[in-house]
């Protein structure tokens, strides 16, 4: 018995990979487009409900809570109901909702409240937004699942 001829065994053919920029460029483009839409909506909301000097930043609080509730609904819909195109999640989830919610402004608002002599309000805003945003995601996702289950025959 002879040993197998290893020279004639060929490695599996390699599939040529596309450069990373070709596969990631559409994702970056839809995130940028979605971000521009979300940030524009947030800016319009802030113009509609401005925060007075030294006042409580209600517009920022509600922007973040509403954005978190929408992400809760969106994630249930695209994971449990609808087989979405691969660019839907980056466009809407990361882009639109990432541009709409504004946790950087939230941090600046906390700093302004603390610097202007309202440390208790700043701490309440810090904790309240965090709790409200997490509750909004959870409640929206749970409500969406319940509605979807109720609608099934």
């Amino acid at each position: 018995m002879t040993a197998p001829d290893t020279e004639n065994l060929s490695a599996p053919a390699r599939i040529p990979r596309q450069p990373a920029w070709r596969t990631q460029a559409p994702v970056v483009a839809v995130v940028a487009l979605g971000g521009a839409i979300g940030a524009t909506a947030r800016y319009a909301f802030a113009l509609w409900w401005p925060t007075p000097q030294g006042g409580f930043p209600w517009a920022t609080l509600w922007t973040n809570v509403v954005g978190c509730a929408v992400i809760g609904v969106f994630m249930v819909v695209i994971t449990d109901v609808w087989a979405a195109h691969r660019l839907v999640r980056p466009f809407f989830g990361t882009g639109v909702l990432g541009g709409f919610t504004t946790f950087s402004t939230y941090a600046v608002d906390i700093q302004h409240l603390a610097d202007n002599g309202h440390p208790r309000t700043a701490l309440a805003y810090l904790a309240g937004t965090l709790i409200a945003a997490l509750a909004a995601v959870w409640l929206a996702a749970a409500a969406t699942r319940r509605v979807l289950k109720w609608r099934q025959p």
Side-chain angles (χ1 to χ4, degrees):
M1 179 179 250
T2 61
D5 185 10
T6 57
E7 290 181 26
N8 290 333
L9 295 176
S10 60
R14 291 190 75 170
I15 299 171
R17 286 181 39 185
Q18 291 185 357
W21 67 268
R22 280 199 174 165
T23 58
Q24 294 302 312
V27 175
V28 171
V30 298
V31 168
L33 177 63
I37 293 167
T40 301
R42 174 176 32 94
Y43 180 68
F45 189 58
L47 289 177
W48 179 71
W49 193 359
T51 301
Q53 185 66 29
F56 190 82
W58 288 106
T60 304
L61 174 99
W62 285 109
T63 296
N64 290 330
V65 171
V66 168
C68 287
V70 173
I71 196 80
V73 172
F74 174 68
M75 292 307 294
V76 169
V77 170
I78 68 165
T79 57
D80 296 358
V81 177
W82 178 44
H85 185 275
R86 74 178 189 93
L87 296 177
V88 170
R89 182 185 246 169
F91 170 73
F92 191 73
T94 306
V96 174
L97 293 174
F100 182 70
T101 56
T102 175
F103 288 93
S104 58
T105 302
Y106 158 69
V108 170
D109 289 342
I110 292 165
Q111 184 68 46
H112 284 157
L113 285 167
D115 288 348
N116 291 322
H118 305 286
R120 288 187 199 141
T121 304
L123 286 173
Y125 177 52
L126 176 105
T129 298
L130 179 63
I131 292 166
L134 290 173
V137 170
W138 184 82
L139 289 170
T144 303
R145 283 192 179 99
R146 181 168 286 188
V147 166
L148 292 172
K149 189 175 184 180
W150 173 74
R151 292 189 68 203
Q152 288 180 347

